[in-house]
Amino acid sequence: MGLYFFAIFLGLGLGIGFAIVRQYGGSLTSRIATGYIEVFRGTPLLAQIFVVTLFPPALNAWLVASGMAPIDILWRIFLPDPFGNPSIVLNTRILLCAITLGLNSAAYQAEFFRGSMGSISTGQSLAATSIGMTRRQLIRFVILPQSLRRAIPAWSNEAVYLPKYTTVAYLVGVEELFAWAKLAAGRTFLTIEVYVLIAIVFLVLISIISWILEYTYNRVKIPGI
Amino acid sequence: MTKVIEVRDVYQAYGDLEVLKGISFDVHEKEVKVVFGPSGSGKSTLLRVINMLTPPYKGEVLLRGESLMAPNANLSKLRSRIGFVFQHFNLFAHLKAIDNVSIGPRQVLGMTKEEAHDVAHDMLCKVKMEDWGHHYPAELSGGQQQRIGIARSLAMSPDVILFDEPTSALDPELIGEVLQVMLDIAKEGTTMIVVTHEMGFARAVSSEMIFMDEGVIVEKGTPQHFFQNPETERAQRFLLRLEVLYGQAEDEKNSE
Ligand SMILES: Nc1ncnc2c1ncn2[C@@H]1O[C@H](COP(=O)(O)OP(=O)(O)O)[C@@H](O)[C@H]1O
Ligand SMILES: [Mg+2]
């Protein structure tokens, strides 16, 4: 779950940033943002995670080969467990997976926000400019308040899909919820029940997220539109 | 009288299409300049050139003697002194009417929340919308939205306000309330450049009218000049067409 919340909020922050830069940045910066978005949307998430998790060993191999000291990639933080089975809560691999998920999500979220920015009439931008607002004020006071509201429905999809994508991290050994499931199944021999329980946890989590977003959307909706 | 706006030989083009081909005129303090002409003649472009929403590729525009095209010009600051009222209102959809009016004084002029609110309230009174301040744009009629648009401009205490066909997107029964507000502020001495085909308005308050066609000023003169004996054939033909379009109401007012 930590993986999910980290990724969705990293994606949210970066996504808004990339959307603004792509839409309102200079020609070079907006091209960089476009490139970033297209690369992350155009390649499979699994490939991205493989590349990123293979990067630290590769970097170390290169450092050693060129006669430098390797960086420590084996650090880890444990969560003490009352049953005497301490579980890893954070290590290089988990951190990199979370960042990759966040970067990937940022690309998708950027497109949602850009779409909702584009749907705000150019007339409002002209009006803001004509009363003397700077570009920064235009984005802050006119574009963002409207585009964030409008992006909520599309954003809900991302928020609901991302928990499922976090399971991809399992393939590179980040076990999270599944590690707990395996352990619990091994202890209790109730394998099916444990996995059903996990499915229910996912379902409940996703329903809660959907509900919160729908509630928020209705609360901040602009009257008359 | 002091010159508020000087437009000096401006040229503007969209790609290969020359839209303004050497336009010059001055607007003095408290003057109401009416610009009219066929669709596509470059009237909207001219207004957008004046506050540099689309800078001209040649020529110059001065606001009280200060060039808007100087390399060191603070465009946002200068624009805040030039109001703009749009054909399609362009209100900020997420803000209540009163906040549409107060946001300029608050964020651009740097007033406190209370000061900006007071200014906005006064402006709403001026356009007779004080009872509608807490409605969102989408909840207002076109005429009401346009009056908020005018209040938003007035709240900046601009040196001049540009109007781009402010009533042409309105249902006929809503035009009157907007024109009345415009007449009121004109009579208070607001300097205005108005693109409109409302000849009744022009006759009532315009000091000089400018007839544009195909990117040039074809003819200038007082309302009397245009309604009695326009010189150029193009102006004659256009005014005749307007009369047919806008119908008898104008004629009846004439004969009174
Ligand atoms: N953003 C634009 N891009 C390309 N052509 C434009 C643009 N805006 C206006 N034009 C063209 O410039 C000419 C003048 O337009 P405009 O200034 O809107 O005239 P008017 O307001 O008198 O109807 C028209 O032929 C129009 O098609
Ligand atoms: Mg026009």
Side-chain angles (χ1 to χ4, degrees):
Chain A
M1 290 308 102
L3 205 57
Y4 168 70
F5 284 107
F6 180 84
I8 195 92
F9 286 114
L10 179 65
L12 177 65
L14 286 177
I16 294 173
F18 278 116
I20 292 174
V21 171
R22 181 166 183 181
Q23 187 86 340
Y24 295 98
S27 69
L28 179 68
T29 48
S30 92
R31 237 175 282 170
I32 292 173
T34 306
Y36 171 88
I37 291 166
E38 293 310 323
V39 165
F40 270 90
R41 278 160 38 101
T43 56
L45 174 62
L46 185 58
Q48 294 163 16
I49 288 187
F50 271 132
V51 168
V52 171
T53 50
L54 287 178
F55 179 74
L59 176 69
N60 270 352
W62 179 81
L63 283 173
V64 171
S66 35
M68 282 178 279
I71 49 169
D72 175 23
I73 56 168
L74 297 174
W75 60 272
R76 53 192 58 195
I77 299 170
F78 290 99
L79 186 71
D81 183 278
F83 301 108
N85 245 328
S87 57
I88 298 170
V89 286
L90 196 62
N91 63 19
T92 311
R93 186 163 277 217
I94 296 176
L95 185 64
L96 285 175
C97 263
I99 291 175
T100 312
L101 276 169
L103 292 178
N104 178 278
S105 183
Y108 284 93
Q109 295 190 40
E111 284 302 272
F112 299 146
F113 290 120
R114 195 174 69 96
S116 66
M117 285 177 188
S119 68
I120 295 169
S121 71
T122 49
Q124 290 189 48
S125 301
L126 288 178
T129 310
S130 79
I131 57 170
M133 283 197 194
T134 60
R135 179 172 285 249
R136 184 179 290 252
Q137 289 174 320
L138 160 71
I139 292 172
R140 160 93 173 69
F141 297 115
V142 178
I143 304 293
L144 280 183
Q146 292 183 58
S147 63
L148 292 187
R149 283 181 172 92
R150 290 187 195 197
I152 293 177
W155 197 79
S156 312
N157 282 333
E158 177 69 9
V160 163
Y161 276 113
L162 197 63
K164 296 171 205 160
Y165 291 136
T166 58
T167 58
V168 168
Y170 183 55
L171 292 168
V172 292
V174 173
E175 296 176 328
E176 243 220 346
L177 206 52
F178 286 96
W180 171 85
K182 222 155 77 181
L183 197 72
R187 271 190 198 158
T188 58
F189 303 104
L190 298 170
T191 318
I192 294 184
E193 286 84 343
V194 165
Y195 282 101
V196 167
L197 187 65
I198 293 223
I200 291 172
V201 167
F202 262 91
L203 201 66
V204 169
L205 177 80
I206 288 172
S207 308
I208 293 174
I209 294 167
S210 301
W211 182 82
I212 291 176
L213 286 170
E214 194 172 319
Y215 177 78
T216 313
Y217 181 64
N218 288 323
R219 274 298 300 271
V220 301
K221 225 166 64 176
I222 300 164
I225 291 181
Chain B
M1 267 197 289
T2 51
K3 289 174 185 173
V4 178
I5 289 281
E6 292 167 67
V7 178
R8 288 189 186 158
D9 200 26
V10 297
Y11 285 76
Q12 178 60 295
Y14 296 109
D16 286 338
L17 179 71
E18 290 259 12
V19 178
L20 298 179
K21 307 166 196 166
I23 302 271
S24 304
F25 62 92
D26 296 340
V27 182
H28 295 90
E29 190 96 49
K30 302 188 183 202
E31 191 180 359
V32 177
K33 196 78 92 181
V34 164
V35 179
F36 68 110
S39 168
S41 56
K43 307 178 299 292
S44 298
T45 306
L46 174 63
L47 292 190
R48 286 202 300 268
V49 157
I50 291 175
N51 77 345
M52 298 291 135
L53 286 175
T54 49
Y57 73 80
K58 202 177 131 196
E60 204 174 21
V61 178
L62 298 108
L63 174 64
R64 293 197 189 278
E66 206 176 330
S67 172
L68 277 86
M69 296 181 68
N72 61 350
N74 183 343
L75 263 190
S76 303
K77 194 105 190 266
L78 290 167
R79 280 201 194 102
S80 71
R81 293 166 50 194
I82 304 176
F84 207 117
V85 174
F86 299 86
Q87 185 172 3
H88 296 287
F89 332 130
N90 297 351
L91 298 184
F92 305 128
H94 62 303
L95 297 179
K96 290 174 182 162
I98 190 157
D99 297 327
N100 262 277
V101 181
S102 67
I103 191 168
R106 173 88 183 94
Q107 302 301 342
V108 177
L109 301 180
M111 289 184 191
T112 66
K113 218 171 166 177
E114 291 72 30
E115 288 168 344
H117 186 274
D118 290 348
V119 168
H121 181 77
D122 290 348
M123 295 308 138
L124 288 184
C125 292
K126 211 169 234 187
V127 300
K128 304 183 190 81
M129 284 292 290
E130 63 274 23
D131 296 335
W132 294 87
H134 291 281
H135 289 261
Y136 285 86
E139 302 170 328
L140 300 174
S141 74
Q144 293 175 320
Q145 289 190 55
Q146 191 59 294
R147 286 187 278 153
I148 297 297
I150 294 171
R152 175 172 67 183
S153 285
L154 285 172
M156 302 297 290
S157 323
D159 295 31
V160 55
I161 304 181
L162 318 178
F163 292 79
D164 191 2
E165 303 204 36
T167 58
S168 63
L170 297 176
D171 292 334
E173 74 271 21
L174 301 176
I175 291 175
E177 63 192 55
V178 172
L179 286 179
Q180 188 55 52
V181 166
M182 290 170 61
L183 287 170
D184 292 347
I185 62 175
K187 286 184 178 144
E188 282 175 19
T190 311
T191 312
M192 300 159 64
I193 304 176
V194 185
V195 172
T196 187
H197 294 137
E198 293 294 335
M199 291 301 145
F201 173 82
R203 185 182 289 123
V205 290
S206 173
S207 43
E208 187 182 51
M209 297 174 67
I210 294 178
F211 175 62
M212 269 180 77
D213 194 11
E214 295 181 349
V216 295
I217 294 179
V218 177
E219 190 169 342
K220 287 190 211 186
T222 60
Q224 288 70 25
H225 164 82
F226 274 108
F227 298 130
Q228 282 155 17
N229 45 5
E231 280 161 25
T232 58
E233 205 215 315
R234 275 198 273 184
Q236 287 165 9
R237 248 188 302 143
F238 184 74
L239 284 165
L240 194 66
R241 243 188 325 145
L242 271 191
E243 218 167 293
V244 174
L245 272 178
Y246 287 76
Q248 307 322 94
E250 288 297 326
D251 288 345
E252 279 159 27
K253 252 187 258 167
N254 266 343
S255 57
E256 270 170 25

